[in-house]
Amino acid sequence: MLTIDQATYDAIVAHAKRDHPDEACGIVAGPEGSDRPERLVEMINAAGSPTFYEFDSTDLFQLYKEMDERDEEPVVVYHSHTATEAYPSRTDIGLASEPNAHYVLVSTREHGNNEGPVEFRSYRIVDGEVTEEPVTVVASL
Amino acid sequence: MAIEVRIPTILRTYTGGEKAVSADGANLSALIDDLEANHVGIKDRLIDNGDLRRFVNVYINDEDVRFIGGLEAELKDGDAVVILPAVAGGAR
């Protein structure tokens, strides 16, 4: 199960809506082994695409260096789908490389940049196996 | 000669769980061969058809090797190598 605080949840949704129709992406870091998504880091989608996302390689390096220095790991890896459901695509599954992370998918297909509900779902992706998990939003962690 | 190589979580199955290992090589290609000698199977996760896999990033002293010669990028004693899988995907 993914437990996430309301402010972080809202910020991920806002990021997805803001970048629509391109895919938005980022992570929520937390202390290693804690499973607590504490520190949201919005990343730039270097692909700048409505159907693909990729962290810029230099940004990726800086991000991991910073997490390393702070004894953090990516607890959540999130991105948006802008025309399809919030379910990992074959590409998402093939490229998933953080077996300990919660992969969060947000779909903005219904309301785009506008107000309105989004699909917000979370998965574990390990060795090509996708397992959906419940999301619990709490006032604070 | 010793070069520290930082191993990402997903490849630690090849290093017995170690986050960093030591390896040798005058360039990245030789370093990867040396890694393979001690951690069988890791090379295939890094190289495809003789080139670095598209969604694997390797850095030498903070520089993406794609900008400094790729597999031919030179290494010397004390260099730090970091391997990071790309964070990528999408609806396509």
Side-chain angles (χ1 to χ4, degrees):
Chain A
M1 178 173 77
L2 170 65
T3 303
I4 191 167
D5 68 281
Q6 187 72 54
T8 304
Y9 176 98
D10 291 346
I12 291 173
V13 171
H15 183 199
K17 283 180 178 287
R18 191 181 343 120
D19 283 11
H20 182 92
D22 285 346
E23 294 194 5
C25 56
I27 64 138
V28 189
E32 241 176 278
S34 71
D35 204 32
R36 291 168 60 89
E38 294 183 353
R39 189 170 68 90
L40 175 76
V41 186
E42 290 187 5
M43 300 296 289
I44 291 167
N45 178 1
S49 159
T51 54
F52 196 70
Y53 80 96
E54 183 172 12
F55 294 5
D56 171 75
S57 80
T58 304
D59 294 350
L60 177 77
F61 182 80
Q62 290 305 331
L63 173 69
Y64 274 74
K65 191 172 167 178
E66 192 181 282
M67 286 194 290
D68 204 43
E69 286 163 2
R70 302 167 63 121
D71 293 319
E72 290 176 336
E73 63 185 355
V75 178
V76 168
V77 177
Y78 72 88
H79 76 283
S80 62
H81 284 175
T82 59
T84 55
E85 72 170 323
Y87 191 87
S89 67
R90 268 194 309 173
T91 313
D92 292 332
I93 298 163
L95 294 178
S97 52
E98 288 293 353
N100 301 326
H102 302 268
Y103 279 87
V104 163
L105 272 286
V106 174
S107 175
T108 54
R109 64 177 166 175
E110 254 193 283
H111 299 282
N113 307 109
N114 305 314
E115 293 284 309
V118 296
E119 285 176 74
F120 187 109
R121 295 164 70 180
S122 183
Y123 308 87
R124 295 288 189 170
I125 308 177
V126 180
D127 292 333
E129 287 282 321
V130 178
T131 312
E132 184 159 14
E133 58 182 4
V135 176
T136 303
V137 183
V138 295
S140 62
L141 281 179
Chain B
M1 168 154 153
I3 293 158
E4 189 200 52
V5 185
R6 307 275 301 176
I7 307 293
T9 310
I10 191 124
L11 297 183
R12 288 179 199 156
T13 48
Y14 299 98
T15 60
E18 291 296 320
K19 285 183 175 185
V21 297
S22 184
D24 283 340
N27 61 27
L28 182 59
S29 186
L31 181 92
I32 291 173
D33 284 338
D34 189 52
L35 275 179
E36 175 71 14
N38 294 303
H39 311 285
V40 177
I42 200 166
K43 182 176 179 176
D44 185 55
R45 301 294 297 271
L46 305 175
I47 306 274
D48 182 38
N49 273 327
D51 212 344
L52 205 54
R53 285 185 179 273
R54 160 74 176 84
F55 293 107
V56 171
N57 297 307
V58 180
Y59 306 85
I60 298 174
N61 303 331
D62 301 9
E63 281 243 52
D64 186 335
V65 297
R66 289 195 173 84
F67 304 125
I68 52 172
L71 288 174
E72 305 307 313
E74 288 179 12
L75 287 164
K76 58 184 187 314
D77 197 18
D79 279 349
V81 171
V82 175
I83 300 170
L84 286 178
V87 179
R92 181 170 68 200

